[in-house]
PDB file of all heavy atoms in Angstrom:
ATOM      1  N   LYS K  24      38.435   8.734   9.702  1.00 88.00           N
ATOM      2  CA  LYS K  24      37.159   8.000   9.195  1.00 88.00           C
ATOM      3  C   LYS K  24      36.634   8.625   7.887  1.00 88.00           C
ATOM      4  O   LYS K  24      36.147   7.882   7.062  1.00 88.00           O
ATOM      5  CB  LYS K  24      36.078   8.098  10.188  1.00 88.00           C
ATOM      6  CG  LYS K  24      36.389   7.464  11.651  1.00 88.00           C
ATOM      7  CD  LYS K  24      36.127   6.003  11.655  1.00 88.00           C
ATOM      8  CE  LYS K  24      36.483   5.414  13.017  1.00 88.00           C
ATOM      9  NZ  LYS K  24      37.941   5.337  13.256  1.00 88.00           N
ATOM     10  N   HIS K 211      36.100   4.192  24.999  1.00 94.00           N
ATOM     11  CA  HIS K 211      35.671   4.690  23.720  1.00 94.00           C
ATOM     12  C   HIS K 211      34.101   4.737  23.741  1.00 94.00           C
ATOM     13  O   HIS K 211      33.468   3.652  24.028  1.00 94.00           O
ATOM     14  CB  HIS K 211      36.162   3.753  22.508  1.00 94.00           C
ATOM     15  CG  HIS K 211      35.769   4.393  21.135  1.00 94.00           C
ATOM     16  ND1 HIS K 211      35.901   3.692  19.906  1.00 94.00           N
ATOM     17  CD2 HIS K 211      35.481   5.642  20.812  1.00 94.00           C
ATOM     18  CE1 HIS K 211      35.638   4.500  19.048  1.00 94.00           C
ATOM     19  NE2 HIS K 211      35.286   5.714  19.458  1.00 94.00           N
ATOM     20  N   TRP K 212      33.581   5.879  23.488  1.00 93.00           N
ATOM     21  CA  TRP K 212      32.096   6.053  23.474  1.00 93.00           C
ATOM     22  C   TRP K 212      31.710   6.382  22.070  1.00 93.00           C
ATOM     23  O   TRP K 212      31.983   7.395  21.407  1.00 93.00           O
ATOM     24  CB  TRP K 212      31.840   7.380  24.409  1.00 93.00           C
ATOM     25  CG  TRP K 212      30.382   7.359  24.829  1.00 93.00           C
ATOM     26  CD1 TRP K 212      29.341   6.729  24.336  1.00 93.00           C
ATOM     27  CD2 TRP K 212      29.970   8.024  26.028  1.00 93.00           C
ATOM     28  NE1 TRP K 212      28.164   6.992  25.099  1.00 93.00           N
ATOM     29  CE2 TRP K 212      28.515   7.775  26.146  1.00 93.00           C
ATOM     30  CE3 TRP K 212      30.506   8.715  27.077  1.00 93.00           C
ATOM     31  CZ2 TRP K 212      27.737   8.262  27.170  1.00 93.00           C
ATOM     32  CZ3 TRP K 212      29.740   9.233  28.134  1.00 93.00           C
ATOM     33  CH2 TRP K 212      28.395   8.977  28.144  1.00 93.00           C
ATOM     34  N   TYR K 213      30.944   5.341  21.487  1.00 92.00           N
ATOM     35  CA  TYR K 213      30.520   5.471  20.140  1.00 92.00           C
ATOM     36  C   TYR K 213      29.396   6.561  20.035  1.00 92.00           C
ATOM     37  O   TYR K 213      28.432   6.475  20.712  1.00 92.00           O
ATOM     38  CB  TYR K 213      29.943   4.110  19.615  1.00 92.00           C
ATOM     39  CG  TYR K 213      29.130   4.260  18.360  1.00 92.00           C
ATOM     40  CD1 TYR K 213      29.602   4.641  17.179  1.00 92.00           C
ATOM     41  CD2 TYR K 213      27.820   3.799  18.340  1.00 92.00           C
ATOM     42  CE1 TYR K 213      28.929   4.798  15.982  1.00 92.00           C
ATOM     43  CE2 TYR K 213      26.965   3.977  17.199  1.00 92.00           C
ATOM     44  CZ  TYR K 213      27.603   4.333  16.010  1.00 92.00           C
ATOM     45  OH  TYR K 213      26.826   4.516  14.866  1.00 92.00           O
ATOM     46  N   PRO K 214      29.605   7.553  19.051  1.00 90.00           N
ATOM     47  CA  PRO K 214      28.766   8.764  19.099  1.00 90.00           C
ATOM     48  C   PRO K 214      27.437   8.629  18.339  1.00 90.00           C
ATOM     49  O   PRO K 214      26.705   9.597  18.261  1.00 90.00           O
ATOM     50  CB  PRO K 214      29.609   9.892  18.468  1.00 90.00           C
ATOM     51  CG  PRO K 214      30.530   9.090  17.630  1.00 90.00           C
ATOM     52  CD  PRO K 214      30.813   7.761  18.182  1.00 90.00           C
ATOM     53  N   CYS K 224      21.012   0.639  22.649  1.00 89.00           N
ATOM     54  CA  CYS K 224      22.129  -0.365  22.369  1.00 89.00           C
ATOM     55  C   CYS K 224      23.347   0.141  23.233  1.00 89.00           C
ATOM     56  O   CYS K 224      23.691   1.338  23.326  1.00 89.00           O
ATOM     57  CB  CYS K 224      22.483  -0.312  20.884  1.00 89.00           C
ATOM     58  SG  CYS K 224      23.790  -1.317  20.498  1.00 89.00           S
ATOM     59  N   PRO K 225      24.005  -0.747  23.874  1.00 92.00           N
ATOM     60  CA  PRO K 225      25.253  -0.390  24.588  1.00 92.00           C
ATOM     61  C   PRO K 225      26.288   0.248  23.705  1.00 92.00           C
ATOM     62  O   PRO K 225      26.458  -0.304  22.513  1.00 92.00           O
ATOM     63  CB  PRO K 225      25.754  -1.789  25.188  1.00 92.00           C
ATOM     64  CG  PRO K 225      24.609  -2.600  25.199  1.00 92.00           C
ATOM     65  CD  PRO K 225      23.830  -2.176  24.044  1.00 92.00           C
ATOM     66  N   CYS K 226      26.936   1.343  24.020  1.00 93.00           N
ATOM     67  CA  CYS K 226      27.810   2.074  23.168  1.00 93.00           C
ATOM     68  C   CYS K 226      29.106   2.611  23.792  1.00 93.00           C
ATOM     69  O   CYS K 226      29.922   3.108  23.145  1.00 93.00           O
ATOM     70  CB  CYS K 226      27.080   3.195  22.476  1.00 93.00           C
ATOM     71  SG  CYS K 226      26.234   4.323  23.634  1.00 93.00           S
ATOM     72  N   LEU K 227      29.122   2.617  25.195  1.00 93.00           N
ATOM     73  CA  LEU K 227      30.324   3.109  25.898  1.00 93.00           C
ATOM     74  C   LEU K 227      31.147   1.944  26.404  1.00 93.00           C
ATOM     75  O   LEU K 227      30.675   1.118  27.262  1.00 93.00           O
ATOM     76  CB  LEU K 227      29.842   3.968  27.072  1.00 93.00           C
ATOM     77  CG  LEU K 227      30.830   4.324  28.107  1.00 93.00           C
ATOM     78  CD1 LEU K 227      31.991   5.063  27.520  1.00 93.00           C
ATOM     79  CD2 LEU K 227      30.272   5.169  29.220  1.00 93.00           C
ATOM     80  N   ALA K 228      32.311   1.832  25.774  1.00 95.00           N
ATOM     81  CA  ALA K 228      33.230   0.612  26.120  1.00 95.00           C
ATOM     82  C   ALA K 228      34.343   1.082  27.033  1.00 95.00           C
ATOM     83  O   ALA K 228      34.912   2.152  26.657  1.00 95.00           O
ATOM     84  CB  ALA K 228      33.749  -0.028  24.832  1.00 95.00           C
ATOM     85  N   VAL K 229      34.648   0.443  28.069  1.00 94.00           N
ATOM     86  CA  VAL K 229      35.740   0.708  28.946  1.00 94.00           C
ATOM     87  C   VAL K 229      36.515  -0.640  29.176  1.00 94.00           C
ATOM     88  O   VAL K 229      35.939  -1.635  29.302  1.00 94.00           O
ATOM     89  CB  VAL K 229      35.237   1.097  30.349  1.00 94.00           C
ATOM     90  CG1 VAL K 229      36.400   1.304  31.348  1.00 94.00           C
ATOM     91  CG2 VAL K 229      34.434   2.457  30.257  1.00 94.00           C
ATOM     92  N   ILE K 238      30.722  -2.825  28.768  1.00 94.00           N
ATOM     93  CA  ILE K 238      30.034  -2.016  27.776  1.00 94.00           C
ATOM     94  C   ILE K 238      28.708  -1.548  28.308  1.00 94.00           C
ATOM     95  O   ILE K 238      27.946  -2.278  28.835  1.00 94.00           O
ATOM     96  CB  ILE K 238      29.776  -2.811  26.432  1.00 94.00           C
ATOM     97  CG1 ILE K 238      31.179  -3.595  26.031  1.00 94.00           C
ATOM     98  CG2 ILE K 238      29.259  -1.957  25.294  1.00 94.00           C
ATOM     99  CD1 ILE K 238      30.913  -4.433  24.896  1.00 94.00           C
ATOM    100  N   MET K 239      28.553  -0.185  28.288  1.00 93.00           N
ATOM    101  CA  MET K 239      27.396   0.428  28.941  1.00 93.00           C
ATOM    102  C   MET K 239      26.499   1.169  27.944  1.00 93.00           C
ATOM    103  O   MET K 239      26.976   1.625  26.927  1.00 93.00           O
ATOM    104  CB  MET K 239      27.862   1.425  29.995  1.00 93.00           C
ATOM    105  CG  MET K 239      28.797   0.791  30.985  1.00 93.00           C
ATOM    106  SD  MET K 239      30.102   1.876  31.643  1.00 93.00           S
ATOM    107  CE  MET K 239      29.090   2.755  32.815  1.00 93.00           C
ATOM    108  N   ILE K 259      41.569  -0.219  22.523  1.00 94.00           N
ATOM    109  CA  ILE K 259      40.157  -0.705  22.024  1.00 94.00           C
ATOM    110  C   ILE K 259      39.583   0.350  21.150  1.00 94.00           C
ATOM    111  O   ILE K 259      39.996   1.544  21.234  1.00 94.00           O
ATOM    112  CB  ILE K 259      39.123  -0.878  23.243  1.00 94.00           C
ATOM    113  CG1 ILE K 259      38.937   0.362  24.025  1.00 94.00           C
ATOM    114  CG2 ILE K 259      39.707  -1.938  24.251  1.00 94.00           C
ATOM    115  CD1 ILE K 259      37.693   0.352  24.924  1.00 94.00           C
ATOM    116  N   GLN K 260      38.759  -0.067  20.281  1.00 94.00           N
ATOM    117  CA  GLN K 260      37.975   0.937  19.422  1.00 94.00           C
ATOM    118  C   GLN K 260      36.802   0.298  18.814  1.00 94.00           C
ATOM    119  O   GLN K 260      36.753  -0.846  18.390  1.00 94.00           O
ATOM    120  CB  GLN K 260      38.980   1.505  18.219  1.00 94.00           C
ATOM    121  CG  GLN K 260      38.421   2.843  17.829  1.00 94.00           C
ATOM    122  CD  GLN K 260      39.130   3.340  16.535  1.00 94.00           C
ATOM    123  OE1 GLN K 260      39.863   2.624  15.905  1.00 94.00           O
ATOM    124  NE2 GLN K 260      39.019   4.644  16.316  1.00 94.00           N
ATOM    125  N   TRP K 261      35.609   1.053  18.763  1.00 93.00           N
ATOM    126  CA  TRP K 261      34.359   0.713  18.128  1.00 93.00           C
ATOM    127  C   TRP K 261      34.653   0.862  16.519  1.00 93.00           C
ATOM    128  O   TRP K 261      35.391   1.798  16.128  1.00 93.00           O
ATOM    129  CB  TRP K 261      33.305   1.724  18.397  1.00 93.00           C
ATOM    130  CG  TRP K 261      32.737   1.345  19.806  1.00 93.00           C
ATOM    131  CD1 TRP K 261      32.762   2.185  20.890  1.00 93.00           C
ATOM    132  CD2 TRP K 261      31.949   0.301  20.238  1.00 93.00           C
ATOM    133  NE1 TRP K 261      32.116   1.621  21.947  1.00 93.00           N
ATOM    134  CE2 TRP K 261      31.544   0.362  21.564  1.00 93.00           C
ATOM    135  CE3 TRP K 261      31.515  -0.902  19.537  1.00 93.00           C
ATOM    136  CZ2 TRP K 261      30.751  -0.592  22.261  1.00 93.00           C
ATOM    137  CZ3 TRP K 261      30.654  -1.858  20.220  1.00 93.00           C
ATOM    138  CH2 TRP K 261      30.373  -1.610  21.590  1.00 93.00           C
ATOM    139  N   ASN K 262      33.961   0.086  15.764  1.00 92.00           N
ATOM    140  CA  ASN K 262      33.914   0.284  14.246  1.00 92.00           C
ATOM    141  C   ASN K 262      33.025   1.504  13.915  1.00 92.00           C
ATOM    142  O   ASN K 262      32.361   2.113  14.867  1.00 92.00           O
ATOM    143  CB  ASN K 262      33.589  -0.929  13.534  1.00 92.00           C
ATOM    144  CG  ASN K 262      32.112  -1.273  13.705  1.00 92.00           C
ATOM    145  OD1 ASN K 262      31.385  -0.836  14.572  1.00 92.00           O
ATOM    146  ND2 ASN K 262      31.563  -2.230  12.840  1.00 92.00           N
ATOM    147  N   HIS K 263      32.880   1.876  12.729  1.00 89.00           N
ATOM    148  CA  HIS K 263      32.164   3.104  12.322  1.00 89.00           C
ATOM    149  C   HIS K 263      30.741   3.088  12.734  1.00 89.00           C
ATOM    150  O   HIS K 263      30.127   4.207  12.834  1.00 89.00           O
ATOM    151  CB  HIS K 263      32.203   3.248  10.761  1.00 89.00           C
ATOM    152  CG  HIS K 263      31.511   2.214  10.027  1.00 89.00           C
ATOM    153  ND1 HIS K 263      31.739   0.851  10.234  1.00 89.00           N
ATOM    154  CD2 HIS K 263      30.470   2.290   9.168  1.00 89.00           C
ATOM    155  CE1 HIS K 263      30.900   0.260   9.377  1.00 89.00           C
ATOM    156  NE2 HIS K 263      30.069   1.112   8.798  1.00 89.00           N
ATOM    157  N   CYS K 264      30.045   1.911  12.959  1.00 87.00           N
ATOM    158  CA  CYS K 264      28.622   2.011  13.189  1.00 87.00           C
ATOM    159  C   CYS K 264      28.246   1.321  14.552  1.00 87.00           C
ATOM    160  O   CYS K 264      27.153   1.074  14.841  1.00 87.00           O
ATOM    161  CB  CYS K 264      27.855   1.278  12.078  1.00 87.00           C
ATOM    162  SG  CYS K 264      28.189  -0.480  11.948  1.00 87.00           S
ATOM    163  N   GLY K 265      29.292   1.217  15.363  1.00 90.00           N
ATOM    164  CA  GLY K 265      29.096   0.701  16.740  1.00 90.00           C
ATOM    165  C   GLY K 265      28.486  -0.659  16.798  1.00 90.00           C
ATOM    166  O   GLY K 265      27.910  -1.050  17.822  1.00 90.00           O
ATOM    167  N   SER K 266      28.839  -1.555  15.796  1.00 91.00           N
ATOM    168  CA  SER K 266      28.300  -2.816  15.903  1.00 91.00           C
ATOM    169  C   SER K 266      29.467  -3.849  16.286  1.00 91.00           C
ATOM    170  O   SER K 266      29.062  -5.020  16.620  1.00 91.00           O
ATOM    171  CB  SER K 266      27.774  -3.284  14.508  1.00 91.00           C
ATOM    172  OG  SER K 266      28.804  -3.222  13.536  1.00 91.00           O
ATOM    173  N   VAL K 267      30.694  -3.439  16.170  1.00 94.00           N
ATOM    174  CA  VAL K 267      31.763  -4.348  16.546  1.00 94.00           C
ATOM    175  C   VAL K 267      32.865  -3.613  17.395  1.00 94.00           C
ATOM    176  O   VAL K 267      33.131  -2.475  16.970  1.00 94.00           O
ATOM    177  CB  VAL K 267      32.528  -5.008  15.337  1.00 94.00           C
ATOM    178  CG1 VAL K 267      33.649  -5.934  15.711  1.00 94.00           C
ATOM    179  CG2 VAL K 267      31.443  -5.642  14.370  1.00 94.00           C
ATOM    180  N   LEU K 268      33.221  -4.178  18.463  1.00 94.00           N
ATOM    181  CA  LEU K 268      34.334  -3.534  19.254  1.00 94.00           C
ATOM    182  C   LEU K 268      35.594  -4.447  19.051  1.00 94.00           C
ATOM    183  O   LEU K 268      35.495  -5.635  19.252  1.00 94.00           O
ATOM    184  CB  LEU K 268      33.871  -3.661  20.810  1.00 94.00           C
ATOM    185  CG  LEU K 268      34.916  -3.046  21.798  1.00 94.00           C
ATOM    186  CD1 LEU K 268      35.164  -1.581  21.672  1.00 94.00           C
ATOM    187  CD2 LEU K 268      34.494  -3.377  23.170  1.00 94.00           C
ATOM    188  N   ALA K 269      36.700  -3.762  18.715  1.00 95.00           N
ATOM    189  CA  ALA K 269      37.949  -4.437  18.534  1.00 95.00           C
ATOM    190  C   ALA K 269      38.834  -4.194  19.820  1.00 95.00           C
ATOM    191  O   ALA K 269      38.933  -3.085  20.402  1.00 95.00           O
ATOM    192  CB  ALA K 269      38.768  -3.881  17.355  1.00 95.00           C
ATOM    193  N   TYR K 289      34.086  -8.129  19.510  1.00 94.00           N
ATOM    194  CA  TYR K 289      32.892  -8.433  20.334  1.00 94.00           C
ATOM    195  C   TYR K 289      31.700  -7.625  19.638  1.00 94.00           C
ATOM    196  O   TYR K 289      31.982  -6.481  19.194  1.00 94.00           O
ATOM    197  CB  TYR K 289      33.086  -7.968  21.703  1.00 94.00           C
ATOM    198  CG  TYR K 289      34.100  -8.879  22.396  1.00 94.00           C
ATOM    199  CD1 TYR K 289      35.456  -8.527  22.471  1.00 94.00           C
ATOM    200  CD2 TYR K 289      33.695  -9.966  23.171  1.00 94.00           C
ATOM    201  CE1 TYR K 289      36.389  -9.319  23.148  1.00 94.00           C
ATOM    202  CE2 TYR K 289      34.598 -10.866  23.840  1.00 94.00           C
ATOM    203  CZ  TYR K 289      35.923 -10.464  23.773  1.00 94.00           C
ATOM    204  OH  TYR K 289      36.818 -11.324  24.440  1.00 94.00           O
ATOM    205  N   THR K 290      30.431  -8.097  19.891  1.00 92.00           N
ATOM    206  CA  THR K 290      29.328  -7.258  19.569  1.00 92.00           C
ATOM    207  C   THR K 290      29.056  -6.277  20.819  1.00 92.00           C
ATOM    208  O   THR K 290      29.713  -6.510  21.870  1.00 92.00           O
ATOM    209  CB  THR K 290      28.026  -8.169  19.425  1.00 92.00           C
ATOM    210  OG1 THR K 290      27.780  -8.698  20.744  1.00 92.00           O
ATOM    211  CG2 THR K 290      28.318  -9.275  18.414  1.00 92.00           C
ATOM    212  N   PRO K 291      28.138  -5.328  20.681  1.00 93.00           N
ATOM    213  CA  PRO K 291      27.947  -4.438  21.808  1.00 93.00           C
ATOM    214  C   PRO K 291      27.267  -5.249  22.952  1.00 93.00           C
ATOM    215  O   PRO K 291      27.194  -4.715  24.099  1.00 93.00           O
ATOM    216  CB  PRO K 291      26.887  -3.441  21.251  1.00 93.00           C
ATOM    217  CG  PRO K 291      27.034  -3.480  19.813  1.00 93.00           C
ATOM    218  CD  PRO K 291      27.496  -4.885  19.416  1.00 93.00           C
ATOM    219  N   PHE K 292      26.858  -6.418  22.724  1.00 91.00           N
ATOM    220  CA  PHE K 292      26.223  -7.296  23.833  1.00 91.00           C
ATOM    221  C   PHE K 292      27.142  -8.157  24.401  1.00 91.00           C
ATOM    222  O   PHE K 292      26.760  -9.166  25.104  1.00 91.00           O
ATOM    223  CB  PHE K 292      24.924  -7.963  23.354  1.00 91.00           C
ATOM    224  CG  PHE K 292      23.951  -6.976  22.724  1.00 91.00           C
ATOM    225  CD1 PHE K 292      23.865  -6.690  21.388  1.00 91.00           C
ATOM    226  CD2 PHE K 292      23.195  -6.115  23.595  1.00 91.00           C
ATOM    227  CE1 PHE K 292      22.984  -5.789  20.785  1.00 91.00           C
ATOM    228  CE2 PHE K 292      22.222  -5.202  23.009  1.00 91.00           C
ATOM    229  CZ  PHE K 292      22.210  -4.997  21.709  1.00 91.00           C
ATOM    230  N   SER K 310      43.128   0.699  15.064  1.00 94.00           N
ATOM    231  CA  SER K 310      42.198   1.788  14.598  1.00 94.00           C
ATOM    232  C   SER K 310      41.421   1.232  13.388  1.00 94.00           C
ATOM    233  O   SER K 310      42.058   0.667  12.517  1.00 94.00           O
ATOM    234  CB  SER K 310      42.959   2.970  14.221  1.00 94.00           C
ATOM    235  OG  SER K 310      42.166   3.968  13.832  1.00 94.00           O
ATOM    236  N   TRP K 311      40.170   1.536  13.385  1.00 93.00           N
ATOM    237  CA  TRP K 311      39.321   1.011  12.211  1.00 93.00           C
ATOM    238  C   TRP K 311      39.331   2.051  11.165  1.00 93.00           C
ATOM    239  O   TRP K 311      39.419   3.293  11.314  1.00 93.00           O
ATOM    240  CB  TRP K 311      37.809   0.962  12.836  1.00 93.00           C
ATOM    241  CG  TRP K 311      37.534  -0.165  13.668  1.00 93.00           C
ATOM    242  CD1 TRP K 311      37.650  -0.215  15.015  1.00 93.00           C
ATOM    243  CD2 TRP K 311      36.880  -1.384  13.216  1.00 93.00           C
ATOM    244  NE1 TRP K 311      37.176  -1.432  15.473  1.00 93.00           N
ATOM    245  CE2 TRP K 311      36.753  -2.166  14.437  1.00 93.00           C
ATOM    246  CE3 TRP K 311      36.515  -2.001  11.988  1.00 93.00           C
ATOM    247  CZ2 TRP K 311      36.225  -3.464  14.439  1.00 93.00           C
ATOM    248  CZ3 TRP K 311      35.960  -3.244  12.050  1.00 93.00           C
ATOM    249  CH2 TRP K 311      35.844  -3.930  13.174  1.00 93.00           C
TER     250      TRP K 311
END
Side-chain angles (χ1 to χ4, degrees):
K24 302 272 181 291
H211 191 194
W212 201 333
Y213 165 60
C224 178
C226 55
L227 166 56
V229 175
I238 309 176
M239 303 149 79
I259 65 165
Q260 200 184 20
W261 285 111
N262 69 346
H263 68 303
C264 61
S266 62
V267 181
L268 177 69
Y289 293 90
T290 68
F292 303 98
S310 187
W311 286 86

